[in-house]
Amino acid sequence: LEFRRVLFRSGNQRVNWRSTAMNMPNHYVYRLDHDTGFAPHVANGTCTLCGCKSTSIEKWAREGSWVVGIGGNGTGRCDDLIYAMKVGATPTFAELSSETPRLAAYLEGCLIQPDAPVLVSRQFYYFGDKAVTLPKDLQHIMIRQEGCKKLSADDIARLSSYLARRFAYGVHGVPNNRQRIVRGACGCRRANEPPKQHASALAATQC
């Protein structure tokens, strides 16, 4: 495979992060059990995802991947679009902390491993409590159970076109479950399960 350096701009700072294979990225949709503001986390014009889908999407996504979050029952916006982000870079937590510490500050003390990938995006739509009901021709991309699944390039093209016609990139709402924020964890129901249970649950996903 051919490799190149990922270049991501944070403000006026140009940051070179780890190499990414130049093959076609996969795209993913998952169901959010909650929307506390931790994962995804939006600050300084940047959307990051780390510490929630650490054994699946965070591990598999690469530059150019789209990650789409659909509201679950716990968000109060069941089956609506909470956010969508186009991944611009995938630094490790250690790299992000070293190069742009303000973006990594919210993860400090959260038991994140230094080599854990952080998905970073400046091309994102975060709707939160203003979550969007998808039109009929996009309803099929929804995931109605816990887990995640891949989306086709055609589905992402239709979704990104639909959003671009109606919204600017950026923040359009606030987290639905702000009262559930607990420092040190994302709040997932499975966060405290033994590793075997967690792996078993993940095996049932469609990714």
Side-chain angles (χ1 to χ4, degrees):
L1 291 175
E2 198 176 341
F3 287 81
R4 64 190 170 93
R5 294 295 298 174
V6 172
L7 181 65
F8 184 80
R9 184 183 292 276
S10 177
N12 294 321
Q13 184 179 12
R14 291 166 64 86
V15 180
N16 284 295
W17 280 322
R18 62 181 176 176
S19 299
T20 299
M22 289 183 66
N23 53 348
M24 293 297 290
N26 289 319
H27 312 291
Y28 305 95
V29 61
Y30 73 102
R31 196 168 181 84
L32 283 78
D33 178 54
H34 54 272
D35 172 34
T36 64
F38 180 87
H41 179 79
V42 178
N44 303 306
T46 305
C47 182
T48 53
L49 184 67
C50 181
C52 184
K53 309 299 288 183
S54 56
T55 60
S56 56
I57 293 174
E58 292 168 23
K59 199 171 163 184
W60 304 329
R62 63 185 68 227
E63 181 189 12
S65 291
W66 277 86
V67 178
V68 178
I70 300 294
N73 293 337
T75 66
R77 297 305 305 259
C78 188
D79 295 338
D80 287 343
L81 178 67
I82 301 292
Y83 82 104
M85 64 185 284
K86 183 178 183 181
V87 178
T90 59
T92 64
F93 174 47
E95 289 169 337
L96 189 67
S97 298
S98 173
E99 299 289 348
T100 54
R102 67 175 185 166
L103 293 183
Y106 79 102
L107 293 169
E108 295 293 341
C110 294
L111 305 179
I112 304 297
Q113 296 299 312
D115 62 348
V118 184
L119 306 187
V120 183
S121 173
R122 281 185 171 273
Q123 294 175 284
F124 68 91
Y125 304 91
Y126 177 76
F127 298 106
D129 65 340
K130 301 295 190 298
V132 172
T133 299
L134 293 173
K136 286 184 179 179
D137 64 336
L138 284 170
Q139 289 279 315
H140 66 280
I141 76 169
M142 279 197 295
I143 181 167
R144 299 182 185 277
Q145 71 280 339
E146 201 169 339
C148 62
K149 68 178 182 179
K150 289 180 182 177
L151 295 177
S152 71
D154 286 344
D155 286 336
I156 286 300
R158 283 195 290 268
L159 175 63
S160 60
S161 176
Y162 171 80
L163 293 173
R165 290 195 305 268
R166 291 163 177 79
F167 307 98
Y169 285 133
V171 179
H172 300 275
V174 298
N176 288 283
N177 309 117
R178 285 174 293 174
Q179 71 279 8
R180 289 180 55 185
I181 295 176
V182 178
R183 183 162 178 77
C186 78
C188 288
R189 288 201 306 263
R190 293 185 303 195
N192 297 317
E193 288 182 358
K196 286 185 179 179
Q197 280 184 285
H198 196 153
S200 175
L202 286 167
T205 68
Q206 300 176 46
C207 290

